[in-house]
Amino acid sequence: MGYIRTFGEIEGNPEGTPYQTRDELRIAGLHAHNQAGISGTPREGADAIVLNGGYPDDRDEGDVIIYTGQGGQDHRKQQIADQTYEKGNGGLVLSQLEGHPVRVIRGHEEDSPHAPAEGYRYDGLYRVVRHWWKRRDDGFRVLQFRMVKIASMRDIQDFDDSELDDHVASPSPAAGPSSRVESVVNLLARRASVVRTIKNWYKSRCQICGETVELPNGPASQVAHIQGLGMPHNGPDHESNALCLCPNDHLRFDNGALYLTDDLKVVDAMVGTIVGPLRVHGQHAIGIEYVRNHRSYWLQDS
Amino acid sequence: MGYIRTFGEIEGNPEGTPYQTRDELRIAGLHAHNQAGISGTPREGADAIVLNGGYPDDRDEGDVIIYTGQGGQDHRKQQIADQTYEKGNGGLVLSQLEGHPVRVIRGHEEDSPHAPAEGYRYDGLYRVVRHWWKRRDDGFRVLQFRMVKIASMRDIQDFDDSELDDHVASPSPAAGPSSRVESVVNLLARRASVVRTIKNWYKSRCQICGETVELPNGPASQVAHIQGLGMPHNGPDHESNALCLCPNDHLRFDNGALYLTDDLKVVDAMVGTIVGPLRVHGQHAIGIEYVRNHRSYWLQDS
């Protein structure tokens, strides 16, 4: 309650910051809960985890972590049921698919040389690179996530400084690093909201082929930008410049195998014929200027 | 001739190393040619570029570069034809699709504050994030590439130290950074050769759905690993543990919507029925142990 989910570093809480209690972590905006290991939901994604010895199945090698999902335990932390994709587990899967950075917080109860001597410590941003189910010796199935530390946001995010500058007033060197942190957090939040809005409109159905890639945790899709982000095209990170596509058509659209006409018909550039109308949600006002800009990358006579 | 194409940093040639001539760059193994701006081929990808004022269309903002492709110029560097996807241009497109790191070398003829005062300088690794066609004022079309500097190989590569350790004897701290550089270069080379072999066998046709994603520069596909790389599964980076898939089926396979039976039939896990046989090239010996390991991530009764 009152927790605002933000992806990435929280201003004033740099890597290495110690906290005495889970409550302090929640109030600082680093993690939504006082008990659960994962801060996240299947719809929003997960923004943080706490590693505190909850599962013997965890493995902590510092920059690489095998993290076990949550759920299926009784109040004595005995596993009494299989885990599911609900709550935080589905959140971590979505963060994997969306590439959201996840804050890793280590607690003193974790049996690892990387754990703090007391209380909790924020240990930086990780990305979820893979997940799978593991059947424990007790017979119950748990979700596991391979998480790798992020050395630089630039390398995993689909943006860089030139986009940051487009998105927010570029922090002056004098403003120091904290205002850059704020800029990145703002941009991640903006991007996450565009992705959520688009996927909610289309329920992850591809606007080009109409296919939905169904995964065990729910339907998956990608949000493509029509006019390129960053220089030299500087397209806006806004719903009017975004499409909900399956990965195959995203690859085609971004590399010139597909483009759109002004009346939003889909053209197969490989054969030069219209393959059908773009599926457009009633609330989705696509900017024709972005469609024309994208077409100019690929169409000979444009 | 005699040039061995390697992706990533070349041992003994760290970022910032100066070179007097193009010949020195070629002999050091940084760039294949003495004239062409791009070191690469459509089949292998591009491993390096030289920024030396060849095109007024280039933009160099240091960490972000808009690089113009090669070709269509006469011996006086006058544009007399449109560029094509041939040679280095197709190489840079492939490096974008494969995520290959590209060495950026700046020359003193580049009109930029980032250019060296004399000769040439190796300025580190960049990734190609996007490409498009631009019609110049003279009417000719050129390819352009948006390149962003890589802050850390770990973040863009699909591997990390635990995989490095699986792949090569882990460099001891005493061995110093150069042996780690060698390890990374070896792993990138190995991975690139697996990808080339697999895509050559299948001509980028998906082994699951049989679809080929056709792009203007040629057919595209992704190479998926069956048993996960890195801990805890430590699958090998070898053809016997790899599949040629379209992005949609790659997403499904990696996230449990599809798995394989021991006789290599494809099962749709969402409905629990066999959708067909896996397409397997005569030279492709798939390791059943890897298929079983992958299945164990997703199948309830395994």
Side-chain angles (χ1 to χ4, degrees), chain A residues 135 146 160 231 300, chain B residues 135 146 160 231 252 300:
Chain A
R135 184 176 297 283
R146 176 182 169 90
D160 50 56
M231 67 134 177
Q300 293 273 359
Chain B
R135 185 175 298 282
R146 177 182 168 89
D160 50 55
M231 67 136 178
R252 292 183 177 105
Q300 293 272 0

Side-chain angles (χ1 to χ4, degrees), chain B residues 151-184:
Chain B
S152 164
M153 286 298 293
R154 157 172 290 181
D155 292 344
I156 62 147
Q157 291 303 329
D158 179 23
F159 68 84
D160 50 55
D161 290 350
S162 76
E163 276 185 64
L164 266 183
D165 299 347
D166 305 336
H167 182 74
V168 286
S170 176
S172 67
S178 79
S179 99
R180 181 181 158 80
V181 168
E182 193 178 5
S183 302
V184 173

Side-chain angles (χ1 to χ4, degrees), chain A residues 24 58 72 95 115 134 143 175 182-183 210 215 221 227 229 235 247 282 287 291:
Chain A
E24 280 182 30
D58 290 345
S95 286
K134 175 188 177 181
L143 268 169
E182 193 178 4
S183 302
L215 301 182
S221 60
Q227 177 168 334
L229 299 181
V291 167

Side-chain angles (χ1 to χ4, degrees), chain A residues 22 35 38 43 80 96 112 117 125 136 156 159 171 196 240:
Chain A
R22 293 288 305 261
Q35 297 282 345
I38 304 168
R43 182 178 158 278
I80 56 173
Q96 175 196 322
S112 153
L125 299 172
R136 288 156 47 102
I156 63 148
F159 68 84
R196 262 203 312 280
S240 60

Side-chain angles (χ1 to χ4, degrees), chain A residues 211-251:
Chain A
E211 184 180 358
T212 305
V213 175
E214 297 288 351
L215 301 182
N217 61 295
S221 60
Q222 297 178 349
V223 171
H225 289 90
I226 303 170
Q227 177 168 334
L229 299 181
M231 67 134 177
H233 301 115
N234 301 315
D237 190 13
H238 183 272
E239 291 82 355
S240 60
N241 187 36
L243 297 174
C244 183
L245 300 179
C246 70
N248 283 3
D249 283 328
H250 190 184
L251 181 65

Side-chain angles (χ1 to χ4, degrees), chain A residues 59-61 63-66 82 85 93 96-97 127 129-135 141 143-144 146 148-163 209 211-218 220-222 227-234 246-249 251-257 269-270 296-302, chain B residues 59-61 63-66 82 85 93 96-97 127 129-135 141 143-144 146 148-163 209 211-218 220-222 227-234 246-249 251-257 269-270 296-302:
Chain A
R59 267 177 75 176
D60 186 352
E61 302 200 349
D63 289 348
V64 182
I65 295 169
I66 306 302
D82 290 346
Y85 284 109
V93 172
Q96 175 196 322
L97 297 175
R127 65 196 162 109
V129 295
R130 218 153 63 75
H131 75 274
W132 61 88
W133 288 92
K134 175 188 177 181
R135 184 176 297 283
R141 296 175 82 226
L143 268 169
Q144 291 199 302
R146 176 182 169 90
V148 179
K149 191 163 190 184
I150 296 167
S152 164
M153 287 300 292
R154 156 172 291 180
D155 292 343
I156 63 148
Q157 291 304 329
D158 180 21
F159 68 84
D160 50 56
D161 290 349
S162 76
E163 275 187 66
C209 69
E211 184 180 358
T212 305
V213 175
E214 297 288 351
L215 301 182
N217 61 295
S221 60
Q222 297 178 349
Q227 177 168 334
L229 299 181
M231 67 134 177
H233 301 115
N234 301 315
C246 70
N248 283 3
D249 283 328
L251 181 65
R252 291 183 177 104
F253 186 78
D254 279 0
N255 293 282
M270 306 303 292
S296 73
Y297 309 159
W298 308 113
L299 202 54
Q300 293 273 359
D301 55 24
S302 67
Chain B
R59 267 178 75 176
D60 186 351
E61 301 199 351
D63 289 347
V64 182
I65 294 169
I66 306 303
D82 290 348
Y85 284 109
V93 172
Q96 175 197 322
L97 297 175
R127 65 196 161 111
V129 296
R130 215 151 67 71
H131 75 274
W132 60 87
W133 288 93
K134 174 189 177 180
R135 185 175 298 282
R141 296 175 82 226
L143 268 169
Q144 291 199 301
R146 177 182 168 89
V148 179
K149 190 163 191 185
I150 295 167
S152 164
M153 286 298 293
R154 157 172 290 181
D155 292 344
I156 62 147
Q157 291 303 329
D158 179 23
F159 68 84
D160 50 55
D161 290 350
S162 76
E163 276 185 64
C209 69
E211 186 180 357
T212 305
V213 175
E214 298 288 352
L215 301 182
N217 62 294
S221 60
Q222 297 178 349
Q227 177 168 334
L229 299 180
M231 67 136 178
H233 301 115
N234 301 315
C246 69
N248 283 4
D249 284 329
L251 181 66
R252 292 183 177 105
F253 186 78
D254 279 0
N255 294 283
M270 306 304 292
S296 74
Y297 309 160
W298 308 112
L299 202 55
Q300 293 272 0
D301 54 25
S302 66

